[in-house]
Amino acid sequence: MSRTSTPTPAEETMSTDTPVRASEGGPAPHTPDAGHGARISGGLFDPAQLLRSLPDALRKLDPRVMVRSPVMFVVLIGSVLTTVLAVLSPADWFGWAIAAWLWLTVIFANLAEAVAEGRGKAQADTLRRAKTDTVARRLVDGAEERVPGTGLRVGDRVVCEAGDVIPGDGDVVEGVASVDESAITGESAPVIRESGGDRSAVTGGTKVLSDRIVVRITTKPGETFIDRMIALVEGAARQKTPNEIALNILLASLTVVFLLAVVTLQPFAIYAGAEQSMIVLVALLVCLIPTTIGALLSAIGIAGMDRLVQRNVLAMSGRAVEAAGDVSTLLLDKTGTITLGNRQAAEFVPVAGADPAGLADAAQLSSLADETPEGRSVVVLAKERYGLRERHEGELGHAEFVPFTAQTRMSGVDVGGRQVRKGAAGAIAAWVTGNGGTVTLDAQRTVDAISGAGGTPLLVAVKDTEGARVLGVIHLKDVVKHGMRERFDELRRMGIRTVMITGDNPLTAKAIADEAGVDDFLAEATPEDKMALIRREQAGGKLVAMTGDGTNDAPALAQADVGVAMNTGTSAAKEAGNMVDLDSDPTKLIEIVEIGKQLLITRGALTTFSIANDVAKYFAIIPAMFAAAYPGLDKLNIMQLSSPQSAILSAVVFNALIIVALVPLALRGVRYRPTGADRMLRRNLGIYGLGGLVAPFAGIKLIDMLISLIPGIH
Amino acid sequence: MGPVTADVLQVTALVVALALVYRPFGDYMAAVYTSDRHLRVERLVYRCLGADPDARMRWPAYLRAVLAFSLVGVLFLYLFLRVQNHLPLSLGFAAIPPGQAFNTAASFVTNTNWQSYMGENAMGHGAQTAGLAVQNFVSAAVGMAVAMALVRGFVRSRTGELGNFWADMVRGTIRILLPVAFVAAIVLVGFGAIQNFAGWHEITTLAGGHQTLTGGAVASQEAIKELGTNGGGFYNANSAHPFENPDAFTNLFEIFLILVIPFSLTRTFGKMAGNIRQGYAILAAMGLIWIGFVTLMTWVETAHPGAANQIAGAALEGKEQRFGVGASSLFAVSTTLTSTGAVDSFHSSFTGLGGGIALLGMMLGEIAPGGVGSGLYGILIMAVIAVFIAGLMVGRTPEYLGKKIGTREIKLAALYILVTPAVVLVFTALAMALPTPPHSMLNSGPHGFSEVLYAYTSAGNNNGSAFAGLNADTQWYNTTLGLAMLLGRFVPMVFVLALAGSLARQRPVPATTGTLRTEKPLFAGLLVGAILIITALTYFPALALGPLAEGLS
């Protein structure tokens, strides 16, 4: 998989910016490129890619393609015009030089887009390999018939057995199987797909590893998930996003303003006795119109989508990526996102008169036969807190284990005449009283206290010669993932409110919410509550992002401005959301928001840079054009450029080279740190505003010095 | 007291005076435009106009009312001037010829007050008071009304309604402009400006020559001329004429009148927006540009090299001795950074760079502080552009005052900033390229070009001041300047009102710590930068061939 590649030395040297941020939101177990990929980066940028993308860049010179970017279209017309003029007076080196650099400007712009698209193409190729022609075993009235995968219709039922490639997207309606989804997710560990519930969706192109399932096809061939994924990463389905359109309008109007300024300049120049050649006027125009951002705008958008793909998130539209930057409320499911999936033993509370070490010992013994994560956590706690060596079932002779079941809700062991039990408070209490003992008031109080604090109490009881009695209570509680509090603080600084969604009762929910540091929580949440919450936030003008996987999440996913469906979820959920996370990692929502913001920042930064550049270009070109007629204007030549022709050419060359120089930045995105708007603006204005003002003075001067070294040019 | 101290004291006095009235006056204007009561006299006016002051207008209705009212104004004024000789109080002046009448009608209705005639030798008392002075009031009130409509667009949500044009216009006139102008006229009379309906006076000057002087309702005209940022002088010499502007105090007072509404409207804006500090940020951007230009102008006019200037100690040509360089520079900057165009000294005689500063002031779109109303809406449009570019840099789709700047909003703002440069540059280029118009230039070289550029910049931005030295009373100039004024005034208004309508429909986005803070100094600075880079760069080549070529030689 290309997605699992590691950084190359080339990338390290290209990335002058340090990695944007590390993902601190706990483990992202399914991220195939964990480590390298756990940051918002544009992935790889290899200068050789520029060369490889050259043919594509040249193909994009088609005026019908170019006209979509008004700024670059003007440059294209300028290139044609100057070339014609150069041909008409072939002895003039200056005309040729300007024409050549204008062509390079256009090609560099196309190159930026081609490189951005090229990275998607590589991914698409990998996906295509997964989409080999399959033969489906269609069930017709209970009988199997073999049809090509492309011949399937929605509603068809197909059989897939171990070794079969699933012929199309659908839901498992019968059976359970382990499926290899690495073709889509890059994750090699198989996943379980079974009928009913939230794990019923299967994707065409994935492979059944064991067992037999019957799949009901839910999408037409050609519109399957893998088809859409290919289209998305290739950029074929790319449409301009609202903000991109708005920016294009502004750039177009600036282009018109500068077009007016240059066109009307000629009569003024004629009056001044300094009529300008068409070549010089075109050069001036190209330098003034915002070519830098015009050239990189679409590359920035493609790269933004690509950054999501790098992180195994598929955005169904660029609009969703942009909306992610604007999100002001995040709805996060408690389990799996904020807390580790399961509750863990945090404390042993002995009843009055009981020995703590004895309680720990009993708790450990009784949990040996409990293979649930909760049971294992009891063993771990006993070892960590009381130094109890882990014991295995075989070590105890003549021991009879009582495994945990959902029916008995307890587990334990009988060794000799001693019976040790551990389990849900109600179940153990019943066991104790059933064996003639009583549950003390003290134990009952501890149980209530733990429940009240949002934890789950497990009772540990023993029956021996002294009769049945309770030894103490195990305090099970939700464990908030490491680093989540910091993460939520960060989000708060970014102006984003986090709301924890949980099915727990309000008391439990509040305890976890306080511990995790979320801003708000929704307890005992039903899908309707979730929907109502989203509507309420949206009515206040806020944009809401959420994740979901179940079919009952689908309406809320559709209603949310950014709805990220888990790939493990149902196809209804995947249809409803506007993004799909192939890793099914709900924590990724936070990164998605950051990528959205980074996309907008990159656009703004390069626009500011591009406009600020104009100041220096004026100081280069205006004296070059008019100092002969009005010698006073030579005072504007503050860069002391060597000759008028060299000055104009230097400005044009700088204008072209800056595009190439900024391609890595456009693809990688401007460095993003989650801070408040004020600091972010100050920083970016400093770098891209002031930098944009100053950089061209240095750049143009440098290029002029190099040009003046060329013999024959004065 | 040295000239520098005097200049500093003068500017300080002006700033203190403006600061004193800023709060009460700004709050008062906000109350005027948000009140739902009508005065009795206003009801009478509405009945005469046949307008319903309580009808709630969406932007197309508001725009239709603005355009209809202004069209009637142009037609009425044109007719008035054409038949002046048949009307009372004409002082025996002839009817104004068609070209000039069109130019003058367009000029006064657009709040430009470009004058291609000589006031005291062409206009009778009737035309001055019933024709021109009326437009001095209502054209200013129209500008303020449009500004209020835009502010309401930011403030209101989920409605397309922008208020009522008739109520806004009539209230602006009756509750703001008339009372302040009345008091101001009394002050001016008190300090020596004339106010009468006298006819001609033959006098013998000190040197023994003969001169004819006309009296008239000068002080009242002067008050609204400055207060409404109109600028059309009763006399050809405008505020350099002692009957209009007798001494250093009235000079400063007139500058105060020019600046008081445009600056105070930022308070009105903040008040109506429910966030005073948003108004302060806009005020800061306006004030920064204004004080920068004043400093630059005074310095250039004082320090400019050249034999004559060095002997005199400063560039004194074209300036009134009773005002001096400092007060003249202050007036010149204030009049060109607003849409006033009144002059107390002759901009053509300023140094090359000084003339360039006056030109640039107008080219910025007259937004620091700008014309009454037009300054506020002009700078708010620039704020929208600045927010759009810089707002992206905080990682959100841009929003201003809780309203998202999306495709439609940026389209309208972009069209707005396109209009004036197009009008100015295209007409100037035509005037330079066609065979006849250049004959009007009385100077050659860069200064001659500056005259033409100045004329169209002044007309396109509705300023009205002239770089003397251009014979503008020709068929070509009367027509094209008239068109430039109309286009430069009403086309932007179309976009402003459309933008207001689009903003008013939106639901506001609540501010978070991730929102760009538009009430902070950083944003004010950013706004100044955006204005200077985007607007000024458009004109840089033209400026280079005019004032820069002259000033740097």
Side-chain angles (χ1 to χ4, degrees):
Chain A
M1 285 293 297
S2 64
R3 246 177 263 123
T4 57
S5 42
T6 47
T8 62
E11 191 235 1
E12 292 303 297
T13 46
M14 287 309 296
S15 309
T16 45
D17 254 344
T18 46
V20 173
R21 52 158 296 122
S23 152
E24 296 145 359
H30 302 293
T31 314
D33 47 356
H36 160 62
R39 61 181 166 105
I40 299 174
S41 76
L44 317 178
F45 177 72
D46 174 0
Q49 262 176 310
L50 286 175
L51 268 182
R52 278 201 299 278
S53 304
L54 196 58
D56 279 333
L58 293 175
R59 259 195 296 279
K60 283 173 188 288
L61 285 175
D62 183 343
R64 284 165 303 182
V65 179
M66 293 291 299
V67 79
R68 284 186 301 194
S69 163
V71 180
M72 294 321 293
F73 188 64
V74 169
V75 183
L76 178 69
I77 294 175
S79 318
V80 173
L81 209 60
T82 45
T83 310
V84 170
L85 292 170
V87 170
L88 291 180
S89 55
D92 178 20
W93 68 268
F94 180 69
W96 286 111
I98 294 287
W101 277 98
L102 293 189
W103 279 113
L104 283 176
T105 311
V106 183
I107 290 170
F108 288 161
N110 290 347
L111 209 50
E113 194 181 87
V115 168
E117 286 173 350
R119 305 200 301 174
K121 283 211 175 76
Q123 256 139 12
D125 290 343
T126 323
L127 286 170
R128 274 213 187 82
R129 253 175 268 139
K131 200 187 152 229
T132 46
D133 291 332
T134 50
V135 176
R137 296 157 60 186
R138 183 160 62 180
L139 281 177
V140 182
D141 302 327
E144 262 182 42
E145 62 173 23
R146 290 189 167 261
V147 292
T150 50
L152 290 171
R153 292 290 166 266
V154 175
D156 283 353
R157 294 154 79 94
V158 294
V159 178
C160 300
E161 280 179 323
D164 287 349
V165 172
I166 298 173
D169 295 359
D171 288 325
V172 180
V173 290
E174 207 183 301
V176 54
S178 61
V179 179
D180 172 12
E181 294 196 337
S182 62
I184 308 229
T185 61
E187 169 62 49
S188 53
V191 292
I192 302 295
R193 291 287 177 259
E194 57 191 343
S195 62
D198 288 346
R199 290 180 169 264
S200 61
V202 288
T203 312
T206 57
K207 196 173 180 184
V208 177
L209 293 180
S210 71
D211 304 288
R212 172 183 185 273
I213 47 173
V214 177
V215 174
R216 190 169 48 80
I217 299 297
T218 52
T219 46
K220 278 188 271 186
E223 290 173 22
T224 61
F225 189 67
I226 214 162
D227 289 315
R228 279 190 305 174
M229 201 163 152
I230 290 171
L232 278 167
V233 295
E234 269 193 328
R238 202 178 103 80
Q239 286 178 322
K240 282 192 181 137
T241 58
N243 176 262
E244 199 177 343
I245 293 171
L247 189 53
N248 243 323
I249 289 172
L250 182 69
L251 297 181
S253 75
L254 286 177
T255 306
V256 173
V257 166
F258 286 120
L259 190 65
L260 279 170
V262 172
V263 168
T264 56
L265 185 58
Q266 186 70 316
F268 309 164
I270 293 172
Y271 168 80
E275 186 174 350
Q276 297 297 315
S277 74
M278 188 61 115
I279 290 175
V280 170
L281 289 176
V282 170
L284 175 65
L285 177 65
V286 169
C287 285
L288 293 183
I289 60 178
T291 46
T292 315
I293 179 66
L296 298 173
L297 188 56
S298 80
I300 294 170
I302 298 169
M305 298 279 273
D306 192 52
R307 271 198 293 283
L308 280 176
V309 175
Q310 303 273 333
R311 318 190 65 68
N312 271 358
V313 176
L314 282 188
M316 296 306 165
S317 73
R319 190 184 284 259
V321 187
E322 241 167 47
D326 283 354
V327 159
S328 41
T329 307
L330 279 189
L331 306 190
L332 297 172
D333 279 327
K334 183 200 78 177
T335 308
T337 312
I338 295 173
T339 61
L340 296 173
N342 304 292
R343 299 180 156 219
Q344 298 194 350
E347 201 184 355
F348 298 132
V349 187
V351 291
D355 167 33
L359 170 64
D361 183 61
Q364 191 215 38
L365 270 179
S366 57
S367 300
L368 289 179
D370 183 356
E371 283 303 316
T372 62
E374 288 88 350
R376 281 199 297 268
S377 77
V378 173
V379 177
V380 170
L381 184 72
K383 180 181 174 190
E384 283 177 355
R385 192 73 61 81
Y386 297 94
L388 290 183
R389 193 173 55 83
E390 215 169 309
R391 286 174 286 197
H392 297 286
E393 297 183 15
E395 290 179 36
L396 301 167
H398 318 297
E400 199 174 310
F401 286 95
V402 182
F404 177 85
T405 66
Q407 281 75 39
T408 59
R409 297 195 297 154
M410 65 169 89
S411 64
V413 63
D414 298 343
V415 187
R418 192 166 180 252
Q419 297 181 5
V420 189
R421 293 289 183 278
K422 169 230 79 185
I428 297 292
W431 182 80
V432 170
T433 42
N435 283 294
T438 49
V439 179
T440 57
L441 200 63
D442 178 40
Q444 192 55 50
R445 219 178 279 131
T446 313
V447 165
D448 291 345
I450 291 172
S451 304
T456 305
L458 294 183
L459 283 177
V460 182
V462 65
K463 184 188 168 215
D464 51 18
T465 48
E466 293 168 45
R469 64 188 184 282
V470 174
L471 289 180
V473 188
I474 302 171
H475 184 175
L476 282 186
K477 64 183 209 176
D478 269 316
V479 177
V480 173
K481 283 187 183 171
H482 179 70
M484 286 317 272
R485 179 173 273 280
E486 290 72 25
R487 206 77 192 260
F488 294 135
D489 286 345
E490 250 172 31
L491 286 168
R492 204 168 300 119
R493 278 198 296 279
M494 287 154 62
I496 295 172
R497 214 165 69 90
T498 42
V499 181
M500 181 181 86
I501 309 286
T502 169
D504 293 341
N505 64 56
L507 223 54
T508 313
K510 185 171 184 336
I512 299 160
D514 287 346
E515 191 184 341
V518 291
D519 297 292
D520 204 351
F521 62 88
L522 183 67
E524 289 170 352
T526 62
E528 292 74 33
D529 292 342
K530 228 169 171 175
M531 191 72 173
L533 177 67
I534 295 175
R535 288 235 170 86
R536 206 160 54 238
E537 293 285 320
Q538 286 174 335
K542 291 178 179 160
L543 264 59
V544 181
M546 67 168 285
T547 59
D549 53 5
T551 300
N552 56 12
D553 283 332
L557 279 173
Q559 177 73 26
D561 301 281
V562 179
V564 185
M566 301 292 104
N567 192 43
T568 52
T570 59
S571 41
K574 284 201 262 183
E575 280 301 320
N578 46 18
M579 290 191 197
V580 175
D581 179 15
L582 301 175
D583 299 337
S584 305
D585 169 18
T587 323
K588 224 185 258 172
L589 193 51
I590 298 172
E591 284 159 43
I592 292 172
V593 168
E594 292 182 352
I595 289 175
K597 285 193 177 292
Q598 197 191 21
L599 173 71
L600 294 172
I601 295 174
T602 309
R603 269 190 209 140
L606 290 183
T607 307
T608 310
F609 186 85
S610 190
I611 295 173
N613 268 209
D614 277 4
V615 177
K617 292 174 193 162
Y618 265 130
F619 279 97
I621 298 181
I622 293 294
M625 287 168 86
F626 299 117
Y630 298 128
L633 288 179
D634 199 43
K635 288 178 190 156
L636 293 180
N637 183 11
I638 51 178
M639 285 173 272
Q640 298 291 316
L641 302 179
S642 56
S643 75
Q645 289 181 322
S646 162
I648 295 170
L649 186 58
S650 301
V652 171
V653 170
F654 176 83
N655 200 46
L657 290 181
I658 195 73
I659 296 174
V660 183
L662 290 175
V663 166
L665 183 70
L667 296 186
R668 195 179 57 231
V670 163
R671 188 148 75 116
Y672 174 75
R673 279 191 185 292
T675 54
D678 264 359
R679 285 184 58 189
M680 201 136 58
L681 180 62
R682 203 173 295 275
R683 179 176 180 279
N684 290 328
L685 262 185
I687 298 177
Y688 301 98
L690 287 183
L693 221 49
V694 176
F697 279 102
I700 292 174
K701 176 70 187 168
L702 195 70
I703 295 168
D704 173 73
M705 280 158 61
L706 292 176
I707 288 179
S708 61
L709 292 180
I710 301 173
I713 295 175
H714 313 289
Chain B
M1 189 162 66
V4 175
T5 325
D7 292 348
V8 170
L9 282 178
Q10 189 160 237
V11 172
T12 311
L14 181 60
V15 169
V16 168
L18 287 168
L20 282 178
V21 298
Y22 178 76
R23 250 183 94 159
F25 190 43
D27 290 351
Y28 170 71
M29 288 194 285
V32 166
Y33 287 109
T34 47
S35 151
D36 43 13
R37 283 184 46 247
H38 303 296
L39 301 181
R40 193 177 297 165
V41 56
E42 290 170 354
R43 288 186 197 282
L44 199 69
V45 176
Y46 299 137
R47 211 166 302 145
C48 295
L49 286 170
D52 172 11
D54 294 312
R56 288 180 290 192
M57 293 178 167
R58 291 172 173 279
W59 79 265
Y62 205 101
L63 177 68
R64 272 197 302 276
V66 168
L67 294 181
F69 180 72
S70 303
L71 179 69
V72 170
V74 172
L75 293 177
F76 172 78
L77 191 54
Y78 176 81
L79 200 68
F80 199 123
L81 298 175
R82 292 290 297 129
V83 299
Q84 158 169 250
N85 48 342
H86 302 299
L87 298 173
L89 287 174
S90 69
L91 292 179
F93 287 127
I96 309 289
Q100 198 171 44
F102 161 71
N103 182 279
T104 307
S107 169
F108 277 75
V109 172
T110 57
N111 198 250
T112 310
N113 300 33
W114 171 270
Q115 294 164 297
S116 71
Y117 58 89
M118 292 175 79
E120 63 271 44
N121 295 333
M123 298 289 172
H125 293 328
Q128 290 271 21
T129 49
L132 303 182
V134 168
Q135 282 304 329
N136 276 352
F137 279 96
V138 293
S139 70
V142 167
M144 285 156 71
V146 171
M148 288 307 118
L150 179 59
V151 173
R152 289 191 194 112
F154 279 112
V155 175
R156 295 185 176 178
S157 63
R158 314 197 71 185
T159 165
E161 286 152 6
L162 301 175
N164 182 291
F165 168 73
W166 304 109
D168 289 341
M169 191 271 296
V170 170
R171 285 178 187 184
T173 310
I174 291 181
R175 299 195 205 177
I176 298 169
L177 295 170
L178 269 172
V180 180
F182 182 78
V183 175
I186 305 249
V187 172
L188 286 171
V189 170
F191 283 86
I194 64 163
Q195 179 80 5
N196 57 41
F197 282 100
W200 304 82
H201 286 280
E202 283 283 338
I203 56 155
T204 310
T205 60
L206 285 175
H210 288 278
Q211 203 175 346
T212 312
L213 291 177
T214 329
V218 175
S220 58
Q221 183 84 306
E222 191 68 13
I224 189 59
K225 174 187 110 181
E226 317 294 12
L227 183 68
T229 62
N230 292 290
F234 192 96
Y235 297 103
N236 187 46
N238 209 303
S239 289
H241 198 293
F243 287 178
E244 286 197 14
N245 188 7
D247 61 18
F249 172 76
T250 56
N251 189 59
L252 199 60
F253 182 63
E254 288 183 7
I255 299 174
F256 171 81
L257 288 179
I258 289 174
L259 300 173
V260 67
I261 291 183
F263 271 132
S264 300
L265 271 177
T266 57
R267 170 85 189 184
T268 311
F269 161 66
K271 186 94 179 167
M272 286 171 74
N275 186 346
I276 299 291
R277 297 175 60 178
Q278 296 285 359
Y280 288 156
I282 297 291
L283 172 71
M286 287 176 166
L288 204 63
I289 297 179
W290 178 77
I291 200 76
F293 271 57
V294 167
T295 313
L296 205 61
M297 181 70 109
T298 313
W299 176 69
V300 161
E301 290 305 295
T302 319
H304 190 73
N309 293 343
Q310 272 165 12
I311 292 165
L316 279 173
E317 185 198 311
K319 297 188 178 75
E320 290 292 301
Q321 197 58 51
R322 66 184 190 282
F323 305 139
V325 171
S328 301
S329 301
L330 185 58
F331 200 110
V333 166
S334 300
T335 198
T336 48
L337 278 174
T338 61
S339 77
T340 313
V343 290
D344 77 344
S345 52
F346 285 83
H347 295 178
S348 175
S349 302
F350 276 50
T351 60
L353 293 178
I357 293 169
L359 253 173
L360 183 61
M362 296 187 287
M363 286 166 172
L364 293 187
E366 291 170 357
I367 47 182
V372 284
S374 60
L376 183 62
Y377 66 67
I379 202 162
L380 287 178
I381 298 275
M382 283 314 296
V384 165
I385 302 265
V387 159
F388 183 78
I389 297 170
L392 283 175
M393 282 194 289
V394 304
R396 286 171 72 93
T397 53
E399 57 212 31
Y400 186 50
L401 298 177
K403 296 298 177 74
K404 282 217 183 289
I405 308 303
T407 311
R408 183 174 159 78
E409 289 76 22
I410 203 67
K411 190 188 294 172
L412 293 167
L415 284 170
Y416 177 96
I417 58 167
L418 206 62
V419 176
T420 329
V423 167
V424 171
L425 290 172
V426 169
F427 277 123
T428 311
L430 286 176
M432 299 307 291
L434 293 174
T436 349
H439 296 321
S440 285
M441 286 191 275
L442 304 182
N443 280 290
S444 59
H447 198 77
F449 171 65
S450 294
E451 288 163 2
V452 179
L453 180 64
Y454 196 104
Y456 286 105
T457 305
S458 174
N461 287 290
N462 299 133
N463 184 276
S465 68
F467 214 47
L470 182 76
N471 173 23
D473 187 17
T474 65
Q475 183 76 34
W476 164 263
Y477 278 106
N478 273 330
T479 310
T480 53
L481 288 171
L483 284 174
M485 290 186 270
L486 290 172
L487 293 173
R489 174 76 166 178
F490 295 110
V491 180
M493 276 187 182
V494 175
F495 300 129
V496 169
L497 289 173
L499 177 66
S502 159
L503 292 170
R505 272 196 300 274
Q506 282 189 28
R507 193 204 307 263
V509 183
T512 67
T513 49
T515 311
L516 172 70
R517 302 289 291 275
T518 49
E519 74 278 22
K520 290 285 181 89
L522 182 64
F523 180 73
L526 175 80
L527 179 55
V528 172
I531 291 168
L532 289 177
I533 289 192
I534 292 176
T535 341
L537 285 190
T538 313
Y539 296 102
F540 192 87
L543 285 173
L545 291 177
L548 283 178
E550 187 189 349
L552 293 175
S553 62

